[in-house]
Amino acid sequence: MSYFKPCILIPVYRHGKACAEVVESILEYNVPIILVDDGNESETKQYLSQIKQNHPDIELVVLPQNQGKGGAFKAGVIRAKELGYTHILQVDADGQHEKEQIPIFVAEARMSPTALICGYPSYDETAPTHRKNAHKFANMWCAIITWSGKIVDSLCGFRMYPTETTYRFVTKHYFDKRMGFDVEILIQLMWAGLDIEFFPVKVTYPTDGISNFRAFRDNVRISWVFTRLFCKMLVLSPLLLWRKIFK
């Protein structure tokens, strides 16, 4: 690829302290950073303001109200497009993901510039059983909906997106902007014909970490996303069958 300009996008909601630590840990990779303040309260805003003060080159997008992870991601993608970045590495603000994988994902995106490069979790001893089971359940439904076993993991938030394709999707299509976001955008981009590659990312769950996941509300929301996608799969079934036969 003759022109390659990646950035790191970090949607932030309630993870001000953790985000500050994440930023400090990834500066060494010399990849430009975009932070999205997803309608945070004053404490997190103070952390983000301090990050911006310490590192003026970091781009800070501020949303007046909480939009959810998908909404914050959309705002970040639009800004990345405006700034001319060709690829966007989404990194979660809570510090769960192995930062040492950043140069690997950047290198893979350079070699496969039109592909979506995804992480799948390599768990350590801190991973709760219910989190592992949730990933297995979601991955099972992804296999059913896509008629494929290509999706190794659908919930890991460590991904490198090609900007142009992603920009077109987030600005022209409806998608879940909260906890169903990671699943939906992955399946929708796969249906759109994007190649998908997976690489392991070590995941650690801090015992004192803040979680934005609300079990009942968000499981209902993710179930609704799968229901919508299943219905869309029925409509797309002739196309999926054609791809299955001729690819």
Side-chain angles (χ1 to χ4, degrees):
M1 186 177 185
S2 57
Y3 178 67
F4 180 72
K5 187 180 179 183
C7 69
I8 294 172
L9 170 59
I10 308 178
V12 187
Y13 182 61
R14 299 175 65 223
H15 289 120
K17 182 175 184 294
C19 179
E21 295 171 354
V22 168
V23 168
E24 292 299 327
S25 71
I26 64 179
L27 288 171
E28 64 179 288
Y29 300 113
N30 296 315
V31 180
I33 299 169
I34 299 175
L35 301 178
V36 180
D37 175 354
D38 189 15
N40 283 285
E41 300 289 342
S42 58
E43 181 180 354
T44 300
K45 284 187 178 298
Q46 289 174 4
Y47 276 107
L48 295 177
S49 296
Q50 189 64 49
I51 293 171
K52 179 66 175 175
Q53 182 177 335
N54 293 341
H55 308 287
D57 290 341
I58 290 178
E59 187 74 16
L60 177 60
V61 178
V62 179
L63 300 180
Q65 294 181 326
N66 178 253
Q67 302 293 312
K69 184 178 181 181
F73 178 83
K74 177 180 178 178
V77 169
I78 292 172
R79 188 60 181 142
K81 167 78 170 173
E82 292 170 347
L83 294 172
Y85 294 114
T86 62
H87 290 77
I88 300 163
L89 177 58
Q90 174 190 309
V91 176
D92 287 350
D94 55 12
Q96 292 182 3
H97 298 131
E98 178 186 15
K99 311 309 179 298
E100 288 76 13
Q101 292 296 90
I102 288 174
I104 295 174
F105 274 59
V106 170
E108 292 296 333
R110 187 187 293 274
M111 290 188 293
S112 303
T114 62
L116 172 56
I117 314 297
C118 302
Y120 68 87
S122 173
Y123 296 112
D124 65 10
E125 65 281 356
T126 66
T129 301
H130 71 273
R131 289 291 187 101
K132 295 180 182 179
N133 290 338
H135 280 250
K136 290 178 182 178
F137 178 78
N139 298 339
M140 177 195 70
W141 271 106
C142 287
I144 293 171
I145 291 171
T146 62
W147 296 14
S148 167
K150 287 184 177 179
I151 295 180
V152 180
D153 186 86
S154 60
L155 296 177
C156 182
F158 195 94
R159 295 176 182 167
M160 177 73 86
Y161 293 85
T163 302
E164 191 62 40
T165 305
T166 308
Y167 175 83
R168 288 198 302 268
F169 175 79
V170 299
T171 56
K172 295 181 179 180
H173 297 272
Y174 171 82
F175 60 96
D176 186 85
K177 294 181 175 62
R178 294 192 180 274
M179 285 300 180
F181 162 73
D182 285 320
V183 169
E184 178 151 20
I185 192 170
L186 178 60
I187 292 177
Q188 296 272 26
L189 290 179
M190 182 176 176
W191 277 342
L194 211 65
D195 289 331
I196 301 176
E197 301 176 11
F198 283 88
F199 296 90
V201 176
K202 183 179 178 181
V203 176
T204 301
Y205 291 90
T207 56
D208 59 347
I210 297 173
S211 176
N212 293 323
F213 188 82
R214 299 294 179 265
F216 178 77
R217 179 198 66 187
D218 293 325
N219 280 321
V220 169
R221 193 175 192 99
I222 292 171
S223 297
W224 171 238
V225 168
F226 277 124
T227 300
R228 283 196 296 102
L229 292 174
F230 183 81
C231 292
K232 186 172 182 177
M233 177 269 289
L234 297 178
V235 175
L236 292 175
S237 56
L239 174 61
L240 296 175
L241 181 60
W242 185 88
R243 286 180 177 174
K244 194 77 171 177
I245 294 173
F246 294 102
K247 277 196 172 183

